């Protein structure tokens, strides 16, 4: 019987997911794209019809409302819901999936709108309910989290007896020509990078000031870049699932212009997430800033350059020390040519489609709530090669550290 797929969220990532599902329509069957603003869904559907020749349906949804989601799910009866709206909607959508008995996938863990804190606690707490309803949730199926978790699982399976340290490296060397813009949702992006840094060593979390630790890493096909230590959500699950791990850190590159703008905006209070009174109205500074900044979905046609995201893993195999670097390089312009989106949306949307494909094909199926590294990495790594995100692996005798 033909499958039905529901995608929620018609932003930069939603565009890529919808394109890629349409390009794999023998697996995804009838596809519906639902979001807050219908005209964004319609415009994506038109582009897909024109470029891929596949018709997808569209509808509006307020994904903050579980009752409205339940109503939609009951009328559409999808086999899977791919959540690429915002992290604020993770719990409402998961709850509706539990009520309707539908598999769930997302790319970012739950964030409470009033606290700049993201963690898996609330989503993991739904494991029992997912098991009881005989359904599955796959959390964090983007690039980071997502592919980075799969890279770690792949290194663990094929290259190590024990992994001792992991450094996750995220370099976006793309240039959109604006003095300041974010490559994905501005609010989520700025909350992430302005928060305190954190890494995990010998069983405990070590907190740093925002951007306190900088290290230069050499990214193949890009070159050396200043990279800053941030907290990133995949570390929370990887410390549970990677054997023998002693330390895990996450680094992201930022250009000087980005950092200077961010510091100024922070200094004047524009990154605040609490209400302020303005001319008798309550506004949240960060939300107002997001309104002013370019829509990430509009950066596609003007972004040039490459992304390189990967993991450095060091550990022991057959009693000997070794280092393995697994990475993926994407070209912003090539991504735009294929699906009308820049590389950051592309590298997130393709893994979301692949995770959903493996679930629908029964290759990744377990009842309950799971992170990516809890599954066999091989089928995912094979799909990356053929779905637009080919990866490379280097074995090194000594690391850059
Ligand atoms: P955008 O802001 O471009 O898109 C989000 C979309 O969700 C918009 O179309 C928005 O609608 C819709 N939306 C927001 N709130 C609601 C709601 N209450 N009901 C229905 N629809 C809603 O974000 P991105 O596409 O850049 O990012 C999407 C997700 O991907 C985010 O969760 C982000 O954190 C995640 N991400 C994950 C990455 C990874 O590697 N794992 C990397 C990058 C992003 P409207 O247009 O009407 O506002």
């Amino acid at each position: 019987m033909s499958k039905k797929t529901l995608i929620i969220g018609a932003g930069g990532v939603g565009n890529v997911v919808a394109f890629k599902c349409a390009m794999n329509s023998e697996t995804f069957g009838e596809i519906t794209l639902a979001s807050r603003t219908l005209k964004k869904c319609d415009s994506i559907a038109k582009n897909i019809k024109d470029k891929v020749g596949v018709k997808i349906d569209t509808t509006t949804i307020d994904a903050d409302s579980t009752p409205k989601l339940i109503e939609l799910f009951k009328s559409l009866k999808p086999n899977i819901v791919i959540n690429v709206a915002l992290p604020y909607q993770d719990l409402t959508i998961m709850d509706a999936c539990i009520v309707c008995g539908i598999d769930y996938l997302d790319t970012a863990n739950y964030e409470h709108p009033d606290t700049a804190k993201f963690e898996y606690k609330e989503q993991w707490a739904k494991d029992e309910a997912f098991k009881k309803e005989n359904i599955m949730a796959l959390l964090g199926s983007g690039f980071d989290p997502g592919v980075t978790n799969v890279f770690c699982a792949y290194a663990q399976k094929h290259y190590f007896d024990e992994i001792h340290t992991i450094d996750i490296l995220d370099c976006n060397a793309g240039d959109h020509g604006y003095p300041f813009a974010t490559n994905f949702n501005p609010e989520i992006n700025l909350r992430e990078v302005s928060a305190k840094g954190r890494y995990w060593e010998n069983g405990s979390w070590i907190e740093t000031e925002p951007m306190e630790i900088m290290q230069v890493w050499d990214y193949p096909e890009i070159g050396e870049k200043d990279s800053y230590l941030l907290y990133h959500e995949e570390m929370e699950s990887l410390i549970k699932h990677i054997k023998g791990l002693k330390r895990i850190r996450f680094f992201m590159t930022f250009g000087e212009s980005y950092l200077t703008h961010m510091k100024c905006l922070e200094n004047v209070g524009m990154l605040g997430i609490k209400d302020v009174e303005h001319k008798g109205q309550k506004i949240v500074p960060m939300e107002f800033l997001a309104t002013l900044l370019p829509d990430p979905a509009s950066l596609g046609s003007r972004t040039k350059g490459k992304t390189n995201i990967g993991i450095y893993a060091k550990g022991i195999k057959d009693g000997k020390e070794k280092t393995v670097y697994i990475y993926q390089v994407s070209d912003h312009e090539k991504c735009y040519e294929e699906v009308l989106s820049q590389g950051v949306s592309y590298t997130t949307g393709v893994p979301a489609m692949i995770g959903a494909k493996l679930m629908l094909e029964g290759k990744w199926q377990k009842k309950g709530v799971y992170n990516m590294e809890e599954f066999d990495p091989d089928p995912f790594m094979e799909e990356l090669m053929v779905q637009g995100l080919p990866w490379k692996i280097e074995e090194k005798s000594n690391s850059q550290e």
Side-chain angles (χ1 to χ4, degrees):
M1 209 174 67
S2 171
K3 304 265 192 222
K4 286 187 179 178
T5 300
L6 173 62
I7 303 162
I8 302 182
V13 179
N15 174 64
V16 178
V17 175
F19 256 95
K20 284 292 192 175
C21 288
M23 290 158 87
N24 288 271
S25 58
E26 66 292 348
T27 303
F28 290 95
E30 291 169 42
I31 301 160
T32 302
L33 175 61
S35 194
R36 198 162 42 188
T37 313
L38 184 62
K39 73 172 194 293
K40 289 197 184 176
C41 303
D42 289 342
S43 141
I44 292 171
K46 182 180 177 311
N47 289 336
I48 290 173
K49 183 86 192 72
D50 292 348
K51 261 178 107 65
V52 186
V54 170
K55 182 184 170 299
I56 70 162
D57 294 322
T58 60
T59 187
T60 45
I61 184 67
D62 172 8
D64 287 320
S65 159
T66 302
K68 285 191 181 139
L69 287 161
I70 292 171
E71 207 180 300
L72 177 68
F73 293 1
K74 281 191 172 159
S75 78
L76 284 178
K77 300 192 174 53
N79 297 82
I80 189 162
V81 173
I82 303 175
N83 167 19
V84 278
L86 296 179
Y88 313 132
Q89 282 87 46
D90 287 2
L91 301 182
T92 48
I93 300 177
M94 286 180 90
D95 287 341
C97 282
I98 292 167
V99 172
C100 300
I102 299 167
D103 283 352
Y104 168 91
L105 176 147
D106 67 29
T107 65
N109 68 6
Y110 176 65
E111 252 188 87
H112 194 280
D114 305 328
T115 4
K117 183 172 184 192
F118 38 104
E119 56 184 2
Y120 282 117
K121 193 170 71 190
E122 277 118 323
Q123 291 182 276
W124 284 342
K126 296 191 188 292
D127 183 53
E128 273 306 304
F130 269 73
K131 284 196 165 79
K132 196 160 153 262
E133 296 309 320
N134 213 24
I135 53 174
M136 169 177 162
L138 183 60
L139 306 183
S141 189
F143 207 107
D144 47 339
V147 177
T148 49
N149 303 55
V150 176
F151 283 174
C152 292
Y154 191 77
Q156 174 163 276
K157 180 173 173 186
H158 296 287
Y159 289 87
F160 291 98
D161 295 325
E162 259 187 24
I163 298 181
H164 292 161
T165 65
I166 294 174
D167 284 314
I168 302 169
L169 308 181
D170 180 337
C171 169
N172 177 11
D175 183 7
H176 42 60
Y178 288 116
F180 187 69
T182 61
N183 292 293
F184 64 97
N185 183 276
E187 208 180 312
I188 304 298
N189 182 228
L190 291 168
R191 279 165 68 127
E192 176 179 286
V193 302
S194 60
K196 291 206 173 192
R198 206 163 12 131
Y199 64 98
W200 186 87
E201 190 161 34
N202 297 327
S204 34
W205 289 103
I206 295 150
E207 197 169 82
T208 69
E209 288 309 308
M211 308 289 177
E212 184 187 332
I213 297 180
M214 193 282 279
Q215 193 168 319
V216 177
W217 289 90
D218 191 2
Y219 296 88
E221 297 185 43
I222 291 174
E224 291 194 344
K225 289 272 173 198
D226 292 356
S227 310
Y228 294 83
L229 185 142
L230 299 183
Y231 175 67
H232 223 244
E233 64 195 60
E234 60 266 53
M235 294 192 286
E236 190 186 359
S237 67
L238 286 168
I239 59 171
K240 288 173 51 160
H241 300 130
I242 299 296
K243 279 183 275 176
L245 195 61
K246 296 189 168 97
R247 189 189 72 199
I248 183 164
R249 307 181 297 183
F250 181 98
F251 290 89
M252 190 180 272
T253 61
F254 294 99
E256 227 168 271
S257 174
Y258 184 98
L259 290 178
T260 310
H261 277 80
M262 207 182 79
K263 197 79 224 151
C264 293
L265 291 166
E266 192 172 27
N267 286 345
V268 297
M270 281 300 286
L271 302 187
I273 58 170
K274 298 257 181 297
D275 288 350
V276 294
E277 189 95 4
H278 175 71
K279 295 194 172 173
Q281 280 198 330
K282 289 208 184 310
I283 59 164
V284 177
M286 178 77 96
E287 287 178 4
F288 177 61
L289 174 64
T291 308
L292 298 178
L293 289 175
D295 177 358
S298 72
L299 301 177
S301 60
R302 39 188 300 150
T303 307
K304 296 179 177 21
K306 290 181 178 174
T307 63
N308 179 332
I309 315 176
I311 65 135
Y312 257 99
K314 287 178 74 178
I316 302 279
K317 179 75 177 173
D318 300 330
K320 289 199 187 97
E321 285 198 2
K322 76 189 280 187
T323 301
V324 162
Y325 178 40
I326 314 177
Y327 65 95
Q328 198 284 322
V329 176
S330 282
D331 181 303
H332 285 287
E333 287 173 284
K334 281 206 184 122
C335 299
Y336 188 76
E337 220 171 88
E338 185 188 331
V339 299
L340 306 174
S341 275
Q342 39 84 4
V344 175
S345 303
Y346 189 89
T347 54
T348 309
V350 173
M353 179 280 291
I354 294 175
K357 184 169 186 281
L358 296 181
M359 287 168 74
L360 286 172
E361 291 172 351
K363 292 179 183 159
W364 275 20
Q365 262 299 345
K366 287 195 270 194
K367 302 308 165 195
V369 175
Y370 295 96
N371 293 90
M372 307 285 287
E373 67 276 14
E374 293 178 85
F375 291 89
D376 179 6
D378 294 354
F380 200 101
M381 295 293 271
E382 283 160 23
E383 287 285 342
L384 286 171
M385 282 295 188
V386 294
Q387 299 284 356
L389 295 176
W391 45 272
K392 291 187 180 150
I393 187 153
E394 286 173 14
E395 285 183 67
K396 293 180 180 260
S397 47
N398 49 17
S399 80
Q400 293 184 5
E401 218 183 347

